Amino acid sequence: MIGTQRTLGVGPPGSALLYVIASPVGPYYPTGFKAISLEATTYAVRAWPGGVGASKLGANYAPCVVPQMQAATRGFHQNLWLFEDVDPATGKTEDFVTEVGTMNLFACIVNKEGQKELMTAPLDGTILDGVVRDSILALARERLAPQGWKVSERRFTMRELGEAEAEGRMLEVFGSGTAAVVAPVRNISYKGSLINCGLPEDKEVGPVTQQMLDWISAIQYGDEEHPWR
Ligand SMILES: *Cc1c(COP(=O)(O)O)cnc(C)c1O
């Protein structure tokens, strides 16, 4: 949606054009999944409480280009956006995980209670409320929870991911968004160390990531009767 009023200035437009571009798309991964490497960005933030990070505004994307290009020069496919804040549980400053590039992020771990947990950051105004995020949460609550999974929209930190990896509790990490549906993550570079996200070296995708793609594709392509169609 763009303002079309014939004046130059900052203010609400008196007229605007809402337009929709429709186009056919091919498979995002024509030769199968390729797991991506992420670089956690610690010198810039994408969004903040009270800001407009929850909206798909052009203004949210231009500032992401340079951190993305810098991550690419170091060999990473995408950058991971963090938000530094005090953790009320410990009183310490932590890097909270928010989103990856222009995708929402999901992590699967075995939590400290020994339960498998699928988690993603909550909609606190700093997270884009993606339709694929919402779909994955709904499918997980319907189909993974009965298998014993805990499904969480909650804040989590880089420290928690690092501990899960160190203690062998990291299962898999993936991004979600309309273009790719899901994007498996191999590792995350953070403050000089590389956190391995649980994929075996000879695998490009983990079982939950693959399952989510299969479930969502079956609904999109009409292989499964579903109210979302
Ligand atoms: C578009 C977008 C997403 C994914 O949203 P979908 O509706 O699932 O495509 C996630 N994060 C950001 C920042 C985005 O721009």
Side-chain angles (χ1 to χ4, degrees):
M1 188 176 206
I2 55 171
T4 52
Q5 186 165 301
R6 290 187 193 176
T7 54
L8 187 59
V10 176
S15 61
L17 174 66
L18 167 67
Y19 61 101
V20 176
I21 302 173
S23 112
V25 291
Y28 199 78
Y29 297 99
T31 55
F33 274 120
K34 273 268 171 252
I36 58 175
S37 293
L38 306 181
E39 182 182 65
T41 301
T42 49
Y43 64 91
V45 291
R46 191 193 83 89
W48 46 90
V52 292
S55 301
K56 247 187 212 304
L57 293 179
N60 282 340
Y61 300 94
C64 300
V65 171
V66 167
Q68 166 60 40
M69 282 171 62
Q70 289 180 349
T73 61
R74 292 185 281 269
F76 297 95
H77 299 94
Q78 288 280 338
N79 70 310
L80 175 66
W81 292 109
L82 306 175
F83 189 78
E84 193 182 67
D85 201 2
V86 174
D87 185 347
T90 61
K92 287 194 191 133
T93 300
E94 296 284 352
D95 283 323
F96 288 88
V97 178
T98 65
E99 299 194 66
V100 48
T102 54
M103 287 185 284
N104 294 112
L105 190 83
F106 286 83
C108 302
I109 62 166
V110 178
N111 63 24
K112 290 237 161 99
E113 290 72 48
Q115 187 180 16
K116 285 182 181 174
E117 181 172 357
L118 172 77
M119 57 197 188
T120 193
L123 302 178
D124 61 358
T126 67
I127 303 293
L128 197 291
D129 184 5
V131 67
V132 182
R133 173 189 181 279
D134 191 45
S135 306
I136 288 170
L137 286 170
L139 289 168
R141 287 182 178 127
E142 180 193 297
R143 303 176 188 187
L144 292 182
Q147 300 174 31
W149 282 79
K150 182 174 180 184
V151 180
S152 303
E153 289 175 78
R154 67 168 176 89
R155 297 176 90 196
F156 60 98
T157 63
M158 286 306 297
R159 176 194 300 279
E160 188 174 356
L161 291 186
E163 285 174 2
E165 186 218 16
E167 295 166 10
R169 296 184 288 103
M170 179 75 92
L171 299 176
E172 56 190 282
V173 173
F174 58 94
S176 79
T178 298
V181 183
V182 285
V185 175
R186 181 168 304 283
N187 49 42
I188 304 169
S189 163
Y190 175 62
K191 291 188 172 167
S193 63
L194 202 61
I195 297 178
N196 189 308
C197 295
L199 270 183
E201 252 173 52
D202 61 340
K203 290 260 164 55
E204 296 294 332
V205 59
V208 173
T209 312
Q210 180 72 56
Q211 181 70 83
M212 286 299 168
L213 177 70
D214 292 346
W215 281 338
I216 290 172
S217 305
I219 296 168
Q220 288 177 333
Y221 284 92
D223 299 334
E224 182 191 330
E225 275 304 324
H226 197 280
W228 295 345
R229 281 190 57 211

